[in-house]
Amino acid sequence: MENEEYETIDLLEVLNAVRQHLLAVILTTLILACAGFGVSKFLMTPKYQASALMIVNTRQDTTSNVTSDQINSATKLVSTYSIIIKSDTVLQQVINNLGLSLTYPELAGRVTVSAVDDTQVMKVTVLSDNPEWARQVCEQITVVSPDVILESVEAGSVKVISSASINPDPVSPNTMRNTAMGGVAGLVISLGIIFLTVLLDNKINTEEDVTKYLDLTVVGVIPEYEGGKKK
């Protein structure tokens, strides 16, 4: 019970310290939030995405009716096709066709291939600080990859169902998120400093501290004067 009482009093001390330094907490939060906004807005290069949709088929002849088994098989082939699309066989040909100055690993790092909602549709995405460059690369991937896939997986094929298009809004940096993260960091840092200050403070500052820490009764207080004024 005695320890619980001390913990409650310590918490009150922390709250009182926060109240006393509330202006500093607010200023620190605002400063780091503004720093996050400024870095995102003026120092980080915006990145854009271009994407295209391709549908996976398990057979080259699509004139006949497609069964559910074929759809399930095509869905499972998406992961296989994505590996082929990101292989050097496809991307190196894209580099050669467009005359890019990038190496294969550099281009592969900018290309993402993923299934759309676990369907037989896959999405090819290219990331770049130049939106038109991203669109051209994405479009070239959709031109080159079907023949490579057809040659590698003779029982299957892919077709473009949505040509390469650019997202007009940059996908990074996320200015709102970075601003919020900066504000949260400022709040956590300022509160952490206050908490540590209170936690490490073992000085006797008030009459209440004498009673609390020394278990003594205060019988008198000698005020300190400086220049005729009480400190």
Side-chain angles (χ1 to χ4, degrees), residues 33-46 172-180:
C34 292
F37 175 83
V39 170
S40 301
K41 200 71 174 178
F42 304 108
L43 298 181
M44 299 180 69
T45 304
S172 68
N174 191 323
T175 304
M176 292 293 294
R177 183 187 63 189
N178 292 345
T179 301

Side-chain angles (χ1 to χ4, degrees), residues 56-190:
V56 175
N57 299 310
T58 56
R59 50 186 295 174
Q60 299 177 29
D61 181 15
T62 59
T63 56
S64 59
N65 295 331
V66 179
T67 65
S68 59
D69 290 338
Q70 291 174 343
I71 294 177
N72 293 332
S73 299
T75 303
K76 296 177 181 179
L77 281 175
V78 170
S79 59
T80 302
Y81 286 5
S82 64
I83 295 174
I84 296 175
I85 290 176
K86 291 198 65 175
S87 67
D88 57 347
T89 306
V90 173
L91 296 187
Q92 188 60 52
Q93 188 173 339
V94 171
I95 293 174
N96 296 337
N97 291 349
L98 296 178
L100 304 179
S101 58
L102 276 70
T103 62
Y104 161 70
E106 291 174 338
L107 180 57
R110 301 188 183 191
V111 178
T112 304
V113 183
S114 58
V116 179
D117 298 330
D118 294 327
T119 63
Q120 63 187 113
V121 177
M122 59 184 180
K123 184 178 183 180
V124 180
T125 304
V126 179
L127 182 68
S128 174
D129 55 358
N130 186 328
E132 180 58 27
W133 183 94
R135 188 197 65 80
Q136 291 180 4
V137 171
C138 186
E139 182 180 29
Q140 190 64 212
I141 290 175
T142 61
V143 171
V144 173
S145 58
D147 292 337
V148 176
I149 291 174
L150 186 61
E151 182 179 351
S152 303
V153 187
E154 297 180 356
S157 63
V158 293
K159 286 187 177 181
V160 179
I161 59 176
S162 177
S163 58
S165 60
I166 304 172
N167 184 353
D169 299 321
V171 294
S172 68
N174 191 323
T175 304
M176 292 293 294
R177 183 187 63 189
N178 292 345
T179 301
M181 290 177 61
V184 171
L187 181 63
V188 171
I189 291 173
S190 57

